[in-house]
Amino acid sequence: MGDTGEDARSENEIVSRLLELENDEQVERRVRLSGERYLSLLQDPDNGRSYVFRHGVDNFDGADVAPDTEFYEYPTIDVARSAFNQFLGEAKRAGTVIEEDSTDDLGDLESSGAEIRDLYADVDEDELTQDDAISEEDA
C-alpha cells in the first residue's frame, strides 16, 4: 500500500477518497467477499490514478477505517484491471466470493429516505396516488 505520486496524500486521505468514489457508485467493478468485505476496481477522475481497493464495511459512519483496509495504486486502469482480476481469482479459489458486481452497502446513508416533492410544482397531488375516476374537475 502506498503512494508514488509527487503530490503525496496520506493513506487515510486516499482511503477516504476511494470510499467516497465507491459510495458515489463510481466503481468499474465491485465484488462482495465473505466477512462483509469488498473488492473494488476504481479510477479517480480527478487525478486519473487507478486502484484496487479491499475493505470491510464501515460501521462507524466514517469515523474510523474498517480493519484490514488496503489499496493498491496503479498508473493505468488496464494495469489495475489485471491486478483486480488476479485478486478476484485468488478470492474465488479461496471460496470467499459472495457476489460479483455487488452494490450492497453503497450510497450515502444520510441521503436515503423519502423523496421530497418539488416545492415549485404546479400540481399539489402525487400522480401515483390520484384516482383517475374522481378528479377535481369533475367535482
Side-chain angles (χ1 to χ4, degrees):
M1 210 161 59
D3 188 13
T4 59
E6 54 275 0
D7 60 333
R9 296 182 292 172
S10 74
E11 288 184 5
N12 284 340
E13 288 172 322
I14 294 171
V15 167
S16 293
R17 176 63 176 157
L18 295 176
L19 287 169
E20 176 185 327
L21 290 170
E22 194 173 71
N23 281 331
D24 289 343
E25 299 183 30
Q26 295 186 32
V27 294
E28 182 170 311
R29 302 242 352 242
R30 186 168 189 261
V31 175
R32 183 175 180 196
L33 304 172
S34 61
E36 293 188 45
R37 296 185 50 73
Y38 294 90
L39 178 67
S40 302
L41 173 62
L42 304 113
Q43 183 174 33
D44 189 334
D46 291 349
N47 62 20
R49 294 178 184 155
S50 299
Y51 300 88
V52 174
F53 183 42
R54 188 171 16 201
H55 66 92
V57 176
D58 177 7
N59 291 322
F60 305 104
D61 295 327
D64 292 320
V65 173
D68 300 326
T69 296
E70 56 189 351
F71 67 89
Y72 302 89
E73 185 175 312
Y74 300 94
T76 68
I77 191 67
D78 291 333
V79 175
R81 237 182 244 122
S82 177
F84 178 89
N85 289 331
Q86 288 178 344
F87 282 111
L88 180 57
E90 291 171 11
K92 285 180 178 179
R93 285 189 293 280
T96 59
V97 173
I98 302 295
E99 177 184 359
E100 290 194 46
D101 301 318
S102 174
T103 57
D104 293 348
D105 297 318
L106 279 183
D108 184 1
L109 298 174
E110 294 178 13
S111 66
S112 62
E115 182 177 320
I116 298 174
R117 300 241 17 232
D118 184 0
L119 299 176
Y120 302 105
D122 60 351
V123 177
D124 289 336
E125 296 180 24
D126 186 347
E127 295 172 2
L128 296 175
T129 60
Q130 290 182 7
D131 186 350
D132 291 335
I134 305 170
S135 71
E136 291 178 27
E137 295 172 6
D138 294 338

